[in-house]
Amino acid sequence: MSHSAEQVVKGPPHLHHMDSVTAYHAAKLGMWLFLATEILLFAVLFTAFAIFRWYNLDEFHAGSNHLDWKLGMLNTAVLLFSSFTAALAVDAGQHGDNKRVVKNLVITIACGGIFLIIKYFEYSSKYAAGLWPGKENYFQYENFLALYYCMTALHALHVIIGMGLLTWVLLKALKNRFSNDYYTPVEIGALYWHLVDLIWIYLFPLLYLVG
């Protein structure tokens, strides 16, 4: 087969590059659209919080005083650091440094685990104090606590999903799949994780410092 005929069958080399670039931008656009829907979901909850707080101001102030702002601040620091390491993982992926991708994703996922452990201790303390759905003290702050548990539990679910997504990316990095030309999963995973961090940055002052 001649060289020209081979090009007709396989296509010019630059077309393969164009296909990969198109796939990259399509994947990134898809993730941004998905993140927009997630932001809308939490925007509804933030709006509900503002409305209920307006009608139950004293209850929300009192309920907020039962939250441990120090643990909330610690979780904020943990997630901020995890976003930093996620960004480092993206930089490593862009340079084809799979070992550094693995290192930074391990730290990021570990930070997600630390966040969930701290949240577990927070929930445990609320349960011990009777500030749990169905417990006697819960009904004194029912509106505040219902929104608190709804928003923080939903956020924790996003943390778990993010950890799963980053674990999938980590497994690819262990197989040396990323290079200067292919690092889309690292960037997509980091984008999702940054959203998890961003939502918490809004939740922390809204819930813990409202009183």
Side-chain angles (χ1 to χ4, degrees), residues 30-91:
M31 176 53 77
W32 276 113
L33 290 174
F34 172 73
L35 296 182
T37 64
E38 293 291 286
I39 291 172
L40 288 174
L41 170 63
F42 278 93
V44 171
L45 292 173
F46 291 149
T47 302
F49 186 93
I51 293 172
F52 276 89
R53 183 176 182 272
W54 176 265
Y55 287 104
N56 305 276
L57 187 59
D58 292 338
E59 176 194 330
F60 273 60
H61 277 290
S64 178
N65 291 330
H66 287 280
L67 303 184
D68 191 336
W69 68 267
K70 294 180 181 178
L71 290 179
M73 178 69 78
L74 178 58
N75 259 345
T76 303
V78 168
L79 283 188
L80 286 174
F81 180 70
S82 72
S83 270
F84 173 68
T85 54
L88 290 179
V90 174
D91 179 72

Side-chain angles (χ1 to χ4, degrees), residues 8-210:
V8 171
V9 175
K10 295 185 177 180
H14 73 275
L15 288 181
H16 298 290
H17 174 68
M18 290 175 63
D19 288 342
S20 64
V21 171
T22 301
Y24 166 75
H25 287 295
K28 199 168 180 179
L29 176 61
M31 176 53 77
W32 276 113
L33 290 174
F34 172 73
L35 296 182
T37 64
E38 293 291 286
I39 291 172
L40 288 174
L41 170 63
F42 278 93
V44 171
L45 292 173
F46 291 149
T47 302
F49 186 93
I51 293 172
F52 276 89
R53 183 176 182 272
W54 176 265
Y55 287 104
N56 305 276
L57 187 59
D58 292 338
E59 176 194 330
F60 273 60
H61 277 290
S64 178
N65 291 330
H66 287 280
L67 303 184
D68 191 336
W69 68 267
K70 294 180 181 178
L71 290 179
M73 178 69 78
L74 178 58
N75 259 345
T76 303
V78 168
L79 283 188
L80 286 174
F81 180 70
S82 72
S83 270
F84 173 68
T85 54
L88 290 179
V90 174
D91 179 72
Q94 291 171 342
H95 290 86
D97 190 344
N98 285 274
K99 288 185 178 180
R100 197 154 61 91
V101 172
V102 171
K103 174 185 174 182
N104 284 290
L105 287 184
V106 166
I107 296 173
T108 304
I109 295 168
C111 286
I114 292 171
F115 177 91
L116 293 175
I117 290 170
I118 294 173
K119 183 54 62 181
Y120 167 78
F121 283 114
E122 277 197 82
Y123 280 2
S124 296
S125 67
K126 301 295 174 295
Y127 184 85
L131 299 170
W132 194 260
K135 297 286 186 176
E136 183 178 353
N137 293 337
Y138 172 83
F139 297 103
Q140 300 178 45
Y141 317 101
E142 184 175 8
N143 295 301
F144 174 80
L145 289 175
L147 285 166
Y148 164 77
Y149 287 124
C150 179
M151 290 192 286
T152 56
L154 184 60
H155 178 264
L157 176 61
H158 281 73
V159 172
I160 294 170
I161 293 172
M163 290 171 66
L165 177 60
L166 293 181
T167 299
W168 172 72
V169 178
L170 172 63
L171 294 175
K172 282 182 171 289
L174 286 171
K175 298 177 182 178
N176 294 316
R177 295 287 300 276
F178 303 121
S179 64
N180 298 345
D181 298 322
Y182 177 67
Y183 52 85
T184 305
V186 189
E187 191 166 351
I188 296 301
L191 275 175
Y192 184 87
W193 194 258
H194 292 323
L195 172 72
V196 170
D197 185 14
L198 179 65
I199 291 172
W200 182 256
I201 288 174
Y202 281 95
L203 284 176
F204 171 62
L206 189 70
L207 296 172
Y208 293 79
L209 306 180
V210 72

